[in-house]
Coordinates of all heavy atoms in Angstrom, one line a residue:
M1 N -12.7 4.1 9.6 CA -12.4 4.4 8.2 C -13.7 4.3 7.3 O -14.4 3.4 7.5 CB -11.4 3.3 7.7 CG -11.1 3.4 6.2 SD -9.8 2.2 5.7 CE -8.4 3.0 6.5
A2 N -13.9 5.3 6.5 CA -15.0 5.3 5.6 C -15.0 4.3 4.5 O -13.9 3.8 4.1 CB -15.2 6.7 5.0
A3 N -16.1 3.9 4.1 CA -16.2 2.8 3.1 C -15.4 3.1 1.8 O -14.7 2.3 1.2 CB -17.6 2.5 2.7
E4 N -15.4 4.4 1.4 CA -14.7 4.8 0.2 C -13.2 4.7 0.4 O -12.4 4.6 -0.6 CB -15.1 6.2 -0.3 CG -14.8 7.3 0.6 CD -16.0 7.6 1.6 OE1 -17.0 6.9 1.6 OE2 -15.8 8.5 2.4
E5 N -12.7 4.7 1.6 CA -11.3 4.6 1.9 C -10.8 3.2 1.8 O -9.6 3.0 1.8 CB -11.0 5.3 3.2 CG -11.2 6.8 3.2 CD -11.0 7.4 4.6 OE1 -11.2 6.7 5.6 OE2 -10.5 8.6 4.6
Q6 N -11.7 2.2 1.8 CA -11.3 0.8 1.8 C -10.4 0.5 0.6 O -9.5 -0.4 0.8 CB -12.5 -0.1 1.8 CG -12.1 -1.6 1.9 CD -13.3 -2.5 2.0 OE1 -14.5 -2.0 1.8 NE2 -13.1 -3.7 2.2
F7 N -10.6 1.1 -0.5 CA -9.8 0.8 -1.7 C -8.6 1.7 -1.9 O -8.0 1.5 -3.0 CB -10.8 0.8 -2.9 CG -11.9 -0.2 -2.7 CD1 -13.2 0.3 -2.4 CD2 -11.7 -1.5 -2.9 CE1 -14.2 -0.6 -2.2 CE2 -12.8 -2.4 -2.7 CZ -14.0 -1.9 -2.3
E8 N -8.3 2.5 -1.0 CA -7.2 3.4 -1.2 C -5.8 2.7 -1.3 O -5.0 3.2 -2.0 CB -7.1 4.5 -0.1 CG -8.1 5.6 -0.2 CD -8.0 6.3 -1.5 OE1 -6.9 6.7 -1.9 OE2 -9.0 6.4 -2.2
L9 N -5.7 1.6 -0.6 CA -4.4 0.9 -0.7 C -4.3 0.3 -2.1 O -3.2 0.4 -2.7 CB -4.4 -0.3 0.3 CG -3.1 -0.9 0.6 CD1 -2.0 0.1 1.0 CD2 -3.2 -2.0 1.7
Q10 N -5.4 -0.2 -2.7 CA -5.3 -0.7 -4.1 C -5.0 0.5 -5.0 O -4.2 0.3 -6.0 CB -6.6 -1.3 -4.5 CG -6.6 -1.9 -5.9 CD -5.6 -3.0 -6.1 OE1 -5.7 -4.0 -5.4 NE2 -4.7 -2.8 -7.1
H11 N -5.6 1.6 -4.8 CA -5.4 2.8 -5.7 C -3.9 3.2 -5.6 O -3.3 3.6 -6.6 CB -6.3 3.9 -5.4 CG -7.7 3.6 -5.6 ND1 -8.2 3.1 -6.8 CD2 -8.8 3.8 -4.8 CE1 -9.5 3.0 -6.7 NE2 -9.9 3.3 -5.5
L12 N -3.4 3.1 -4.4 CA -1.9 3.5 -4.2 C -1.1 2.6 -5.0 O -0.2 3.0 -5.8 CB -1.6 3.4 -2.7 CG -0.1 3.5 -2.4 CD1 0.4 4.9 -2.7 CD2 0.2 3.2 -0.9
V13 N -1.3 1.3 -5.0 CA -0.5 0.3 -5.8 C -0.7 0.6 -7.3 O 0.3 0.6 -8.0 CB -0.9 -1.1 -5.4 CG1 -0.3 -2.1 -6.4 CG2 -0.5 -1.5 -4.0
D14 N -1.9 0.9 -7.7 CA -2.2 1.2 -9.1 C -1.4 2.4 -9.6 O -0.7 2.4 -10.6 CB -3.6 1.4 -9.4 CG -4.5 0.1 -9.2 OD1 -3.9 -1.0 -9.2 OD2 -5.7 0.2 -9.0
R15 N -1.4 3.4 -8.7 CA -0.6 4.7 -9.1 C 0.9 4.4 -9.2 O 1.6 4.9 -10.0 CB -0.9 5.8 -8.1 CG -2.3 6.4 -8.4 CD -2.5 7.7 -7.5 NE -2.5 7.4 -6.1 CZ -3.6 7.0 -5.4 NH1 -4.7 6.8 -6.0 NH2 -3.5 6.8 -4.1
L16 N 1.4 3.6 -8.2 CA 2.8 3.4 -8.2 C 3.3 2.7 -9.5 O 4.5 3.0 -9.9 CB 3.2 2.5 -7.0 CG 3.2 3.2 -5.6 CD1 3.2 2.2 -4.5 CD2 4.3 4.2 -5.5
Y17 N 2.5 1.8 -10.0 CA 3.0 1.1 -11.2 C 2.5 1.6 -12.5 O 2.6 0.9 -13.5 CB 2.6 -0.4 -11.0 CG 3.5 -1.0 -9.9 CD1 3.0 -1.1 -8.6 CD2 4.8 -1.4 -10.1 CE1 3.7 -1.7 -7.6 CE2 5.6 -1.9 -9.1 CZ 5.0 -2.1 -7.9 OH 5.8 -2.6 -6.8
L18 N 2.0 2.8 -12.6 CA 1.6 3.4 -13.8 C 2.8 3.6 -14.7 O 2.7 3.5 -16.0 CB 0.9 4.8 -13.6 CG -0.5 4.7 -13.1 CD1 -1.1 6.1 -12.8 CD2 -1.4 4.0 -14.2
Q19 N 4.0 4.0 -14.2 CA 5.1 4.4 -15.0 C 6.4 3.6 -14.5 O 7.5 4.0 -15.0 CB 5.4 5.9 -14.9 CG 4.2 6.7 -15.4 CD 4.5 8.2 -15.3 OE1 5.5 8.6 -15.0 NE2 3.4 8.9 -15.6
A20 N 6.3 2.7 -13.7 CA 7.5 2.0 -13.2 C 7.2 0.5 -13.1 O 6.1 0.0 -12.8 CB 7.9 2.5 -11.8
D21 N 8.2 -0.3 -13.3 CA 8.1 -1.8 -13.2 C 8.5 -2.2 -11.7 O 8.0 -3.2 -11.3 CB 9.1 -2.5 -14.1 CG 8.6 -2.3 -15.6 OD1 7.4 -2.2 -15.8 OD2 9.5 -2.3 -16.5
T22 N 9.3 -1.4 -11.1 CA 9.7 -1.7 -9.7 C 9.7 -0.4 -8.9 O 9.9 0.7 -9.4 CB 11.1 -2.3 -9.6 OG1 12.1 -1.4 -10.0 CG2 11.2 -3.7 -10.3
V23 N 9.4 -0.5 -7.6 CA 9.4 0.6 -6.7 C 10.1 0.1 -5.4 O 10.3 -1.1 -5.2 CB 8.0 1.1 -6.3 CG1 7.3 1.6 -7.6 CG2 7.2 0.0 -5.7
D24 N 10.6 1.1 -4.6 CA 11.1 0.7 -3.3 C 10.3 1.3 -2.2 O 9.3 2.0 -2.5 CB 12.6 1.1 -3.2 CG 12.8 2.6 -3.3 OD1 11.9 3.4 -3.0 OD2 13.9 3.0 -3.8
K25 N 10.6 0.9 -1.0 CA 9.8 1.4 0.2 C 9.7 2.9 0.2 O 8.6 3.4 0.5 CB 10.4 0.9 1.4 CG 9.7 1.2 2.7 CD 10.3 0.7 3.9 CE 9.5 1.2 5.2 NZ 10.0 0.5 6.4
V26 N 10.7 3.6 -0.1 CA 10.7 5.1 -0.1 C 9.7 5.6 -1.1 O 8.9 6.5 -0.8 CB 12.1 5.7 -0.3 CG1 12.0 7.2 -0.4 CG2 13.0 5.3 0.8
D27 N 9.6 5.0 -2.3 CA 8.6 5.4 -3.3 C 7.2 5.2 -2.8 O 6.4 6.1 -3.0 CB 8.8 4.5 -4.6 CG 10.1 4.7 -5.3 OD1 10.7 5.8 -5.2 OD2 10.5 3.7 -5.9
V28 N 7.0 4.1 -2.1 CA 5.6 3.8 -1.6 C 5.3 4.8 -0.5 O 4.2 5.3 -0.4 CB 5.6 2.3 -1.1 CG1 4.2 2.0 -0.6 CG2 6.0 1.4 -2.1
L29 N 6.2 5.0 0.4 CA 6.0 6.0 1.5 C 5.7 7.4 1.0 O 4.8 8.1 1.4 CB 7.2 6.0 2.5 CG 7.3 4.9 3.5 CD1 8.7 5.0 4.1 CD2 6.2 5.0 4.5
V30 N 6.5 7.9 0.1 CA 6.4 9.2 -0.5 C 5.0 9.3 -1.2 O 4.3 10.3 -1.0 CB 7.5 9.5 -1.4 CG1 7.3 10.8 -2.2 CG2 8.8 9.7 -0.7
Q31 N 4.6 8.3 -2.0 CA 3.4 8.4 -2.7 C 2.2 8.4 -1.7 O 1.2 9.1 -1.8 CB 3.2 7.3 -3.7 CG 2.0 7.3 -4.5 CD 2.0 8.5 -5.5 OE1 3.0 8.7 -6.2 NE2 1.0 9.3 -5.4
A32 N 2.3 7.5 -0.7 CA 1.2 7.5 0.3 C 1.0 8.8 1.1 O -0.1 9.3 1.3 CB 1.5 6.3 1.3
K33 N 2.2 9.4 1.4 CA 2.1 10.7 2.1 C 1.6 11.8 1.1 O 0.8 12.7 1.5 CB 3.4 11.1 2.7 CG 3.7 10.2 3.9 CD 5.0 10.5 4.6 CE 5.3 9.6 5.8 NZ 6.5 10.0 6.5
A34 N 2.1 11.8 -0.1 CA 1.6 12.8 -1.1 C 0.1 12.7 -1.3 O -0.5 13.7 -1.6 CB 2.4 12.6 -2.4
D35 N -0.4 11.5 -1.3 CA -1.8 11.3 -1.5 C -2.6 11.5 -0.2 O -3.9 11.4 -0.3 CB -2.1 9.8 -2.0 CG -1.6 9.5 -3.4 OD1 -1.2 10.5 -4.1 OD2 -1.5 8.3 -3.7
D36 N -2.0 11.9 0.9 CA -2.6 12.2 2.1 C -3.5 11.0 2.6 O -4.7 11.3 2.9 CB -3.4 13.5 2.0 CG -3.8 14.0 3.4 OD1 -3.0 13.8 4.4 OD2 -4.8 14.7 3.5
L37 N -3.0 9.8 2.6 CA -3.8 8.6 2.9 C -4.0 8.5 4.4 O -3.2 9.1 5.2 CB -3.1 7.4 2.3 CG -3.1 7.4 0.8 CD1 -2.4 6.1 0.3 CD2 -4.4 7.5 0.2
D38 N -5.0 7.7 4.7 CA -5.3 7.4 6.1 C -4.1 6.9 6.9 O -3.3 6.2 6.4 CB -6.5 6.4 6.1 CG -7.0 6.1 7.5 OD1 -7.9 6.8 7.9 OD2 -6.5 5.1 8.1
E39 N -4.1 7.2 8.2 CA -2.9 6.8 9.0 C -2.8 5.3 9.1 O -1.7 4.8 9.3 CB -2.9 7.5 10.4 CG -4.1 7.1 11.3 CD -4.1 7.9 12.6 OE1 -4.2 9.1 12.5 OE2 -3.9 7.2 13.6
D40 N -3.9 4.6 9.0 CA -3.8 3.1 9.0 C -3.0 2.6 7.7 O -2.2 1.7 7.8 CB -5.2 2.4 9.0 CG -5.9 2.6 10.3 OD1 -5.2 2.8 11.3 OD2 -7.1 2.4 10.3
I41 N -3.2 3.2 6.6 CA -2.5 2.9 5.4 C -1.0 3.3 5.5 O -0.1 2.5 5.2 CB -3.1 3.5 4.1 CG1 -4.5 2.9 4.0 CG2 -2.3 3.3 2.9 CD1 -5.3 3.5 2.9
L42 N -0.8 4.4 6.1 CA 0.6 4.9 6.3 C 1.3 3.9 7.2 O 2.5 3.6 7.1 CB 0.6 6.3 6.9 CG 0.2 7.4 5.9 CD1 0.2 8.7 6.7 CD2 1.0 7.4 4.7
E43 N 0.6 3.4 8.2 CA 1.2 2.4 9.1 C 1.6 1.1 8.4 O 2.6 0.5 8.6 CB 0.3 2.1 10.3 CG 0.9 1.2 11.3 CD 0.1 1.0 12.6 OE1 -0.9 1.7 12.8 OE2 0.5 0.1 13.4
V44 N 0.7 0.6 7.5 CA 0.9 -0.6 6.7 C 2.2 -0.3 5.9 O 3.1 -1.2 5.9 CB -0.3 -0.9 5.8 CG1 0.1 -2.0 4.8 CG2 -1.5 -1.4 6.6
V45 N 2.2 0.8 5.2 CA 3.4 1.1 4.3 C 4.7 1.2 5.1 O 5.7 0.7 4.7 CB 3.1 2.4 3.5 CG1 4.4 2.8 2.8 CG2 2.0 2.2 2.6
S46 N 4.6 1.8 6.3 CA 5.8 1.9 7.1 C 6.3 0.5 7.6 O 7.5 0.4 7.9 CB 5.5 2.8 8.3 OG 4.7 2.1 9.3
L47 N 5.5 -0.5 7.6 CA 5.9 -1.8 8.1 C 6.6 -2.6 6.9 O 7.0 -3.7 7.2 CB 4.7 -2.6 8.6 CG 4.2 -2.0 10.0 CD1 2.9 -2.7 10.3 CD2 5.2 -2.2 11.1
L48 N 6.6 -2.1 5.7 CA 7.2 -2.8 4.6 C 8.7 -3.0 4.9 O 9.4 -2.0 5.3 CB 7.1 -2.0 3.3 CG 5.8 -2.1 2.5 CD1 5.8 -1.1 1.4 CD2 5.6 -3.5 2.0
P49 N 9.3 -4.1 4.6 CA 10.7 -4.3 4.7 C 11.4 -3.4 3.5 O 10.7 -3.2 2.5 CB 11.0 -5.8 4.4 CG 9.6 -6.4 4.5 CD 8.6 -5.4 4.3
G50 N 12.6 -3.0 3.7 CA 13.3 -2.3 2.7 C 13.5 -3.1 1.5 O 13.5 -4.4 1.6
G51 N 13.7 -2.5 0.4 CA 14.0 -3.3 -0.8 C 13.2 -2.8 -2.0 O 12.4 -1.9 -1.9
R52 N 13.5 -3.4 -3.2 CA 12.8 -3.1 -4.4 C 11.7 -4.1 -4.6 O 11.9 -5.3 -4.3 CB 13.7 -3.0 -5.6 CG 14.7 -1.8 -5.4 CD 15.2 -1.2 -6.7 NE 14.3 -0.8 -7.7 CZ 13.6 0.4 -7.7 NH1 13.8 1.2 -6.7 NH2 12.8 0.7 -8.7
Y53 N 10.6 -3.7 -5.2 CA 9.4 -4.5 -5.3 C 8.8 -4.4 -6.7 O 8.5 -3.3 -7.2 CB 8.3 -4.1 -4.4 CG 8.7 -4.2 -2.9 CD1 9.2 -3.2 -2.2 CD2 8.5 -5.5 -2.3 CE1 9.5 -3.3 -0.9 CE2 8.8 -5.6 -1.0 CZ 9.3 -4.5 -0.2 OH 9.6 -4.7 1.1
G54 N 8.7 -5.6 -7.4 CA 7.8 -5.7 -8.5 C 6.4 -5.7 -8.0 O 6.1 -5.8 -6.7
R55 N 5.4 -5.5 -8.8 CA 4.0 -5.4 -8.3 C 3.5 -6.6 -7.5 O 3.0 -6.4 -6.4 CB 3.1 -5.1 -9.5 CG 1.6 -4.8 -9.0 CD 0.7 -4.6 -10.2 NE -0.6 -4.4 -9.7 CZ -1.3 -3.2 -9.8 NH1 -0.7 -2.2 -10.5 NH2 -2.5 -3.1 -9.3
A56 N 3.8 -7.8 -8.0 CA 3.3 -9.0 -7.3 C 3.9 -9.1 -5.9 O 3.3 -9.4 -4.9 CB 3.6 -10.2 -8.1
R57 N 5.2 -8.8 -5.8 CA 5.9 -8.9 -4.5 C 5.4 -7.9 -3.6 O 5.2 -8.1 -2.4 CB 7.4 -8.8 -4.7 CG 8.2 -9.0 -3.4 CD 9.7 -9.2 -3.6 NE 10.4 -9.2 -2.4 CZ 11.2 -8.3 -2.0 NH1 11.6 -7.3 -2.9 NH2 11.8 -8.3 -0.8
L58 N 5.2 -6.6 -4.0 CA 4.7 -5.6 -3.2 C 3.3 -6.0 -2.7 O 3.0 -5.8 -1.5 CB 4.6 -4.2 -3.9 CG 4.1 -3.1 -3.1 CD1 4.9 -2.8 -1.8 CD2 3.9 -1.9 -3.9
C59 N 2.5 -6.5 -3.5 CA 1.1 -6.9 -3.1 C 1.2 -8.0 -2.1 O 0.4 -7.9 -1.1 CB 0.3 -7.3 -4.3 SG -0.1 -5.9 -5.4
D60 N 2.1 -8.9 -2.3 CA 2.2 -10.0 -1.3 C 2.6 -9.5 0.1 O 2.1 -9.9 1.1 CB 3.2 -11.0 -1.8 CG 2.8 -11.9 -2.9 OD1 1.5 -11.9 -3.2 OD2 3.6 -12.6 -3.5
Q61 N 3.6 -8.5 0.0 CA 4.0 -7.9 1.3 C 2.9 -7.1 2.0 O 2.7 -7.3 3.2 CB 5.2 -7.0 1.1 CG 6.5 -7.8 0.7 CD 7.1 -8.5 1.9 OE1 6.9 -8.1 3.1 NE2 7.8 -9.6 1.6
L62 N 2.2 -6.3 1.2 CA 1.2 -5.5 1.8 C 0.0 -6.4 2.3 O -0.5 -6.2 3.4 CB 0.6 -4.5 0.8 CG 1.6 -3.4 0.3 CD1 1.0 -2.6 -0.8 CD2 1.9 -2.5 1.5
N63 N -0.3 -7.4 1.6 CA -1.4 -8.3 2.0 C -1.0 -9.1 3.3 O -1.8 -9.3 4.2 CB -1.8 -9.3 0.9 CG -2.5 -8.6 -0.2 OD1 -3.2 -7.6 0.0 ND2 -2.4 -9.1 -1.4
S64 N 0.2 -9.4 3.4 CA 0.7 -10.1 4.6 C 0.6 -9.2 5.8 O 0.2 -9.6 6.9 CB 2.2 -10.6 4.4 OG 2.3 -11.6 3.5
I65 N 1.0 -8.0 5.6 CA 1.0 -7.0 6.7 C -0.5 -6.8 7.1 O -0.8 -6.8 8.3 CB 1.6 -5.7 6.3 CG1 3.1 -5.9 6.1 CG2 1.4 -4.6 7.4 CD1 3.9 -4.7 5.4
V66 N -1.4 -6.5 6.2 CA -2.8 -6.3 6.4 C -3.4 -7.5 7.2 O -4.1 -7.3 8.2 CB -3.5 -6.0 5.1 CG1 -5.0 -6.1 5.3 CG2 -3.1 -4.6 4.6
T67 N -3.1 -8.7 6.7 CA -3.7 -9.9 7.3 C -3.1 -10.1 8.7 O -3.9 -10.4 9.7 CB -3.3 -11.1 6.4 OG1 -3.9 -10.9 5.2 CG2 -3.9 -12.4 7.1
A68 N -1.8 -9.9 8.9 CA -1.2 -10.2 10.2 C -1.7 -9.2 11.3 O -1.8 -9.6 12.4 CB 0.3 -10.0 10.1
H69 N -2.1 -8.0 10.9 CA -2.6 -7.1 11.8 C -4.2 -7.0 11.9 O -4.7 -6.2 12.6 CB -2.1 -5.7 11.5 CG -0.7 -5.5 11.8 ND1 0.3 -5.9 11.0 CD2 -0.1 -5.1 12.9 CE1 1.5 -5.7 11.5 NE2 1.3 -5.2 12.7
G70 N -4.8 -7.9 11.2 CA -6.3 -8.0 11.3 C -7.0 -6.8 10.6 O -8.1 -6.5 11.0
W71 N -6.4 -6.2 9.6 CA -7.0 -5.1 8.9 C -7.7 -5.4 7.6 O -8.1 -4.5 6.9 CB -5.9 -4.0 8.7 CG -5.3 -3.4 9.9 CD1 -6.0 -3.1 11.0 CD2 -4.0 -2.9 10.0 NE1 -5.1 -2.5 11.9 CE2 -3.9 -2.4 11.3 CE3 -2.8 -3.0 9.2 CZ2 -2.7 -1.9 11.8 CZ3 -1.7 -2.4 9.7 CH2 -1.6 -1.9 11.0
G72 N -7.8 -6.7 7.3 CA -8.3 -7.1 6.1 C -9.7 -6.6 5.8 O -10.1 -6.3 4.7
L73 N -10.6 -6.6 6.8 CA -12.0 -6.1 6.6 C -12.0 -4.6 6.4 O -12.9 -4.1 5.7 CB -12.8 -6.5 7.8 CG -13.1 -8.0 8.0 CD1 -13.9 -8.3 9.3 CD2 -13.8 -8.6 6.8
T74 N -11.1 -3.9 7.0 CA -11.2 -2.4 6.8 C -10.4 -1.9 5.6 O -10.8 -1.0 4.9 CB -10.7 -1.7 8.1 OG1 -9.4 -2.1 8.4 CG2 -11.7 -1.9 9.2
L75 N -9.2 -2.5 5.4 CA -8.3 -2.1 4.3 C -8.5 -2.9 3.0 O -8.0 -2.5 2.0 CB -6.9 -2.1 4.7 CG -6.5 -1.1 5.9 CD1 -5.1 -1.2 6.2 CD2 -6.9 0.3 5.5
G76 N -9.0 -4.1 3.1 CA -9.1 -5.0 2.0 C -7.7 -5.5 1.6 O -6.7 -5.3 2.3
T77 N -7.6 -6.2 0.5 CA -6.3 -6.7 0.0 C -6.1 -6.0 -1.4 O -6.9 -5.4 -2.0 CB -6.4 -8.2 -0.2 OG1 -7.4 -8.6 -1.0 CG2 -6.5 -8.9 1.2
V78 N -4.8 -6.2 -1.8 CA -4.4 -5.6 -3.1 C -4.0 -6.6 -4.1 O -3.5 -7.7 -3.7 CB -3.3 -4.5 -2.9 CG1 -3.8 -3.4 -2.1 CG2 -2.1 -5.2 -2.2
E79 N -4.1 -6.3 -5.4 CA -3.7 -7.1 -6.5 C -2.7 -6.4 -7.4 O -2.8 -5.3 -7.6 CB -4.9 -7.6 -7.3 CG -5.9 -8.4 -6.5 CD -7.1 -8.7 -7.4 OE1 -7.3 -8.2 -8.5 OE2 -7.9 -9.5 -6.9

C-alpha cells in the first residue's frame, strides 16, 4: 500500500458523515467501492457487523478491526 493510501480509511469516514448523522454497513460498503479503495480497506469494511453507526461507533468498530488484524501501521486509525 502506498503512503498516500494510508489515510484513505479516514477520508472514507469523513465523506460518509458529510451529510448524515448515521450510516449502515451497506452505506460504508457502497461508498468504499464507489471510491475504488484498496482491497485491504474493502476487507476491513466487509468485516463490519451489520447495523447503524454514528461516527464514534463506526470509528471504534473500524479501529478494532484494523488493530485485530495488525493493519494499524499500513491503514492507520480513524477518528
